[in-house]
Amino acid sequence: MAYKNFSTEQLQAADNAHHLHPFTDHDELRSQGVRVVTNADGNYIYDSEGNKILDGMAGLWCVNAGYGREELAEAAYEQMKELAYYNTFFKTTHPAVALLSKRIAELAPPNINQVFYGASGSESNDTAIRTVRHYWALEGKPEKQIIISRNDAYHGSTIAAVSMGGMGAMHGQLGPMLPGFVHVMAPYAYELAEAGESEDDFGLRAAKAVEDAIMEAGPENVAAFVGEPIQGAGGVKIPPATYWPEIQRICKKYDVLLMIDEVITGFGRTGAWFACESMGIEPDTITVAKAVTSGYQPLSAVLVGDRIANTLASNGEYYHGYTYSGHPVACAVALANIDIIEREGLIDRVKNETGPYLLEKLKAEIGNHPLVGEIRGFGLLAGIEIVKDKATKERFEPADKAAGIVRDHSINSGMMMRAVGDTMILSPPLIWTKETIDEAVEIAKNALNTAAKELEA
Ligand code: PXG
């Protein structure tokens, strides 16, 4: 490719001078030098300096089928030659979007049969917000507008998605947030359970916070509750088993819709096509993105339950849509990606083999490490709490950047990991085998050991 003729220094200089990165402190980045990732294959990414790095984050929670899949490249190539673009606005469709919609409807929970597309998770969460509010207006209850969300939720970076999300730092930079969002506690037992409170009791208490918020706003004003089945960017927060059934009960009781954000959990990560299935959730909408194409093309969607879809489809025109709603190339890649996940039995493998093994292996190898406060996992998602004192759960000072240090040592010794606050994250491609997990856990252990020495000093 043409850019092979550029040196690392030239690429870094171009990037430093002209590229504003997402979620980045540019002074820090530019003083350290940006890593130029040039290619990837299977489970590994490679940089311009020749480093080979095991990707413990599947890109950004998305490359579920792994890198270098020719089948996906060919699907894109063939579709581009055949029909590179056409819109789906004006009484037209195309084969890829029609067939993908059918396929997704078959994989989704039984009450979900319709799909509305976007190009990013943020965009589709905006769609979901507009759609539930529009639904209530069509049902003659336009005052049902409030959406209840949680602290530490991540739903995206558009103004609506940030307002709905529960990231304090993002709210701080937003100016006035959009009205109509209420935030309650996250189901995060490790930090929020009280002494002596069981996980199950804590789960019920966290769900009760939702009921309290509904009562405070008045059920007649509440459109929906929204949540990620497992909070991802908020730190792989896995709710106790009592949480979702209770949320479900509360939503039914007050006729509050249930919006589920499966941008991370969708398409296999939890050992089912959707975490709703793993966790027994009956949603009214599911937002997906990322792994629907394994990140090979930008594509997202809102899967819309019959209750909403029937009202929406029988009440005139809904003034909403994006140029790239149902982009043919993205849809063709999504179909080929779903074929791969299905053909290779990746979901079964996550559920029965690699998911349980990842958790078991992490607990066995680093569970007793003095820096590790807790290890939790579900499917191929894992979170590791970094603490100063295991017994008291005392944290390091934020200025110590403890998890950041562990992450940096992990990357330097050959594995991409993510640090969210004081939590280390793994969210690898679903093609990891037990051997890949052994390799990953060894790197994580070494990174913890090196970080422990540094943090003691
Ligand atoms: N919902 C969830 C649950 C997400 O994880 C989005 C919505 C937004 O998707 P888009 O495609 O608009 O980015 C996400 C995205 C991180 C990180 O630091 C996570 C995401 C995005 C950027 C960074 O872990 N998740």
Side-chain angles (χ1 to χ4, degrees):
M1 282 180 208
Y3 53 73
K4 289 226 163 110
N5 298 325
F6 291 90
S7 68
T8 301
E9 291 71 24
Q10 284 172 316
L11 295 167
Q12 285 175 327
D15 199 88
N16 275 359
H18 303 294
H19 181 191
L20 288 172
H21 292 245
F23 285 92
T24 293
D25 174 340
H26 286 83
D27 284 337
E28 188 187 45
L29 175 75
R30 288 168 182 174
S31 68
Q32 289 172 352
V34 68
R35 181 189 303 275
V36 183
V37 176
T38 49
N39 56 301
D41 193 29
N43 290 318
Y44 295 90
I45 60 171
Y46 298 84
D47 70 21
S48 58
E49 299 295 271
N51 293 305
K52 174 182 179 182
I53 304 172
L54 179 64
D55 188 1
M57 280 305 297
L60 200 51
W61 325 75
C62 54
V63 188
N64 284 14
Y67 296 94
R69 293 278 191 173
E70 290 205 1
E71 199 175 331
L72 300 187
E74 273 158 21
Y77 178 69
E78 292 301 326
Q79 183 63 51
M80 279 185 197
K81 283 195 297 180
E82 194 87 12
L83 178 70
Y85 175 77
Y86 201 71
N87 73 69
T88 49
F89 281 48
F90 306 119
K91 299 186 179 171
T92 53
T93 190
H94 54 77
V97 75
L99 294 175
L100 178 62
S101 305
K102 178 169 184 288
R103 194 78 182 270
I104 290 177
E106 285 162 2
L107 299 174
N111 70 310
I112 291 188
N113 292 291
Q114 316 258 334
V115 188
F116 191 104
Y117 294 95
S120 73
S122 306
E123 233 176 62
S124 279
N125 275 329
D126 274 29
T127 295
I129 294 164
R130 279 197 65 184
T131 303
V132 298
R133 288 179 171 169
H134 184 49
Y135 164 81
W136 285 119
L138 291 173
E139 288 290 316
K141 296 183 178 172
E143 67 287 354
K144 263 174 114 58
Q145 288 284 299
I146 292 174
I147 295 173
I148 297 172
S149 175
R150 283 107 39 103
N151 300 334
D152 298 329
Y154 187 73
H155 296 300
S157 275
T158 57
I159 291 176
V162 174
S163 301
M164 182 160 82
M167 296 289 183
M170 293 181 84
H171 291 176
Q173 291 182 338
L174 181 59
M177 290 207 293
L178 289 185
F181 297 98
V182 171
H183 297 88
V184 300
M185 71 192 288
Y188 181 29
Y190 183 70
E191 276 205 347
L192 300 178
E194 278 159 12
E197 189 178 30
S198 72
E199 280 252 336
D200 282 358
D201 285 349
F202 171 74
L204 294 176
R205 182 160 66 86
K208 175 80 168 35
V210 175
E211 184 164 26
D212 291 346
I214 293 172
M215 295 316 287
E216 194 175 330
E220 68 283 6
N221 298 315
V222 180
F225 171 77
V226 65
E228 304 149 78
I230 294 168
Q231 288 188 330
V236 182
K237 292 175 177 155
I238 304 170
T242 47
Y243 183 74
W244 279 114
E246 183 64 3
I247 293 283
Q248 188 88 54
R249 188 190 67 76
I250 291 166
C251 285
K252 283 205 174 122
K253 179 171 174 193
Y254 299 104
D255 203 14
V256 164
L257 296 171
L258 187 48
M259 300 163 69
I260 296 294
D261 184 339
E262 295 231 30
V263 167
I264 283 177
T265 51
F267 297 91
R269 184 148 301 284
T270 65
W273 283 101
F274 299 101
C276 285
E277 198 184 311
S278 314
M279 298 181 152
I281 306 168
E282 296 162 31
D284 292 291
T285 64
I286 302 178
T287 308
V288 300
K290 295 189 188 276
V292 63
T293 63
S294 282
Y296 279 64
Q297 282 285 300
L299 180 71
S300 66
V302 184
L303 321 191
V304 182
D306 295 340
R307 177 177 174 181
I308 297 176
N310 291 342
T311 296
L312 206 64
S314 57
N315 275 287
E317 183 175 345
Y318 177 29
Y319 305 113
H320 181 74
Y322 309 107
T323 302
Y324 295 142
S325 286
H327 193 288
V329 178
C331 290
V333 170
L335 277 166
N337 174 57
I338 291 170
D339 280 346
I340 290 175
I341 294 175
E342 204 163 67
R343 190 175 66 232
E344 298 186 2
L346 295 180
I347 292 180
D348 232 38
R349 191 154 114 196
V350 170
K351 183 174 180 201
N352 297 314
E353 189 185 328
T354 46
Y357 186 73
L358 175 64
L359 188 57
E360 190 185 300
K361 186 80 184 170
L362 283 169
K363 285 189 170 167
E365 296 292 327
I366 61 173
N368 291 326
H369 197 282
L371 288 185
V372 173
E374 180 180 72
I375 296 171
R376 48 180 184 268
F378 199 117
L380 276 188
L381 264 181
I384 302 163
E385 296 287 358
I386 304 296
V387 288
K388 191 169 186 177
D389 186 321
K390 242 175 140 67
T392 63
K393 302 185 181 175
E394 186 197 344
R395 300 284 191 177
F396 286 93
E397 292 299 320
D400 291 335
K401 297 194 171 169
I405 291 173
V406 181
R407 175 202 57 211
D408 291 348
H409 285 302
S410 169
I411 296 173
N412 290 336
S413 45
M415 177 170 67
M416 276 294 168
M417 276 187 99
R418 179 115 166 59
V420 171
D422 283 324
T423 311
M424 303 300 306
I425 310 287
L426 279 171
S427 172
L430 309 189
I431 57 170
W432 273 24
T433 60
K434 286 186 171 177
E435 290 69 39
T436 333
I437 291 170
D438 291 345
E439 182 185 340
V441 174
E442 188 62 24
I443 296 174
K445 185 158 92 178
N446 291 336
L448 282 164
N449 287 338
T450 321
K453 283 190 206 128
E454 197 171 317
L455 287 161
E456 257 169 34

